[in-house]
Amino acid sequence: MSEVDDKALDAFLGLIAEKGFAAVSLREVAQAAGVGFADLHRLHPDKMSLAAAFMARIDAEVLAGTPSANDPEETVRDRLFDVMMRRYDALKPHRAALRALRRAGTRDPVVAVAMGPALRRSMSAMLEAASVPSEGLPGALRQNGLLAIHYAVSRVFDRDETGDLSKTMAALDGRLKTAERWAQLFDKYTKSPRSGAAPEAPISPEA
């Protein structure tokens, strides 16, 4: 990420945290960042590009903490828990900006649709970091499953003022345990002699 990119993204996050996503213009971001509007526009032609860059920055921070090899004693649920908690730790300084983006998506369907691909890329990256395949139809199902978990846990994360995000940890652990139970039931059903071949579970403990 270039210096202009860094400055612009920091300015964007500060402005939307203060004023809301809809109230901020690309020109304001350039002025606040102290960069030329043409330079910013060349990198990010609209605010959605900056929102996607924010998610990519968080992804990179999370992935940087991924161990080079898996602990054989860890389950898929353990690895997903670790990856997603690293994500919430990375998001913690930006909760106001994150809330602004979430409100914008709730109020404007166009914004919600535009943010979809970046969110899916993020969930795909989180799955891969946990050594869970994210490609093909099974991967798409897993992405949807993890995204649903993320949406639910984010509501707790927004209000979690504990220093260690203990409320977020509890919510994430509960959601992942529920997903694991459903995945086990799904896997048992699809492997039964009468069921025949079927798609893999969204977040399978055997992935």
Side-chain angles (χ1 to χ4, degrees):
M1 187 175 283
S2 68
E3 184 180 358
V4 171
D5 216 351
D6 270 330
K7 287 181 177 179
L9 187 50
D10 289 339
F12 168 72
L13 294 173
L15 285 169
I16 66 170
E18 177 186 353
K19 301 170 65 174
F21 181 83
V24 173
S25 70
L26 204 61
R27 185 70 177 268
E28 283 181 281
V29 174
Q31 291 173 343
V35 301
F37 181 66
D39 293 331
L40 174 60
H41 193 272
R42 183 170 59 252
L43 289 170
H44 300 291
D46 53 41
K47 290 185 294 182
M48 290 314 309
S49 175
L50 282 162
F54 168 51
M55 285 182 265
R57 177 194 277 184
I58 296 298
D59 293 344
E61 188 171 336
V62 175
L63 297 179
T66 302
S68 57
N70 291 328
D71 183 339
E73 299 298 318
E74 286 186 331
T75 65
V76 166
R77 176 164 59 84
D78 293 333
R79 296 197 299 269
L80 281 170
F81 179 86
D82 179 64
V83 168
M84 292 304 291
M85 281 310 305
R86 290 206 308 272
R87 187 173 190 84
Y88 294 123
D89 284 335
L91 286 169
K92 192 175 179 181
H94 308 293
R95 277 194 286 197
L98 192 63
R99 282 193 289 268
L101 286 170
R102 192 175 294 120
R103 283 195 299 269
T106 301
R107 295 170 182 173
D108 187 344
V110 174
V111 173
V113 170
M115 284 196 291
L119 279 168
R120 289 184 180 281
R121 281 195 299 272
S122 290
M123 293 303 102
S124 176
M126 299 304 99
L127 287 166
E128 293 291 344
S131 297
V132 180
S134 66
E135 297 179 349
L137 178 58
L141 293 172
R142 293 186 181 107
Q143 289 175 34
N144 286 338
L146 188 57
L147 189 55
I149 290 170
H150 177 53
Y151 276 138
V153 175
S154 290
R155 291 196 291 269
V156 178
F157 170 71
D158 277 347
R159 303 185 300 273
D160 189 354
E161 299 301 330
T162 58
D164 60 354
L165 295 179
S166 57
K167 294 179 180 178
T168 302
M169 284 193 284
L172 178 61
D173 187 54
R175 292 283 175 171
L176 287 174
K177 283 179 179 176
T178 299
E180 185 180 54
R181 286 195 296 270
W182 278 106
Q184 288 169 344
L185 287 171
F186 187 90
D187 193 53
K188 182 179 179 180
Y189 170 75
T190 58
K191 288 184 178 179
S192 68
R194 291 180 297 177
S195 64
E200 296 178 51
I203 301 178
S204 170
E206 298 180 3

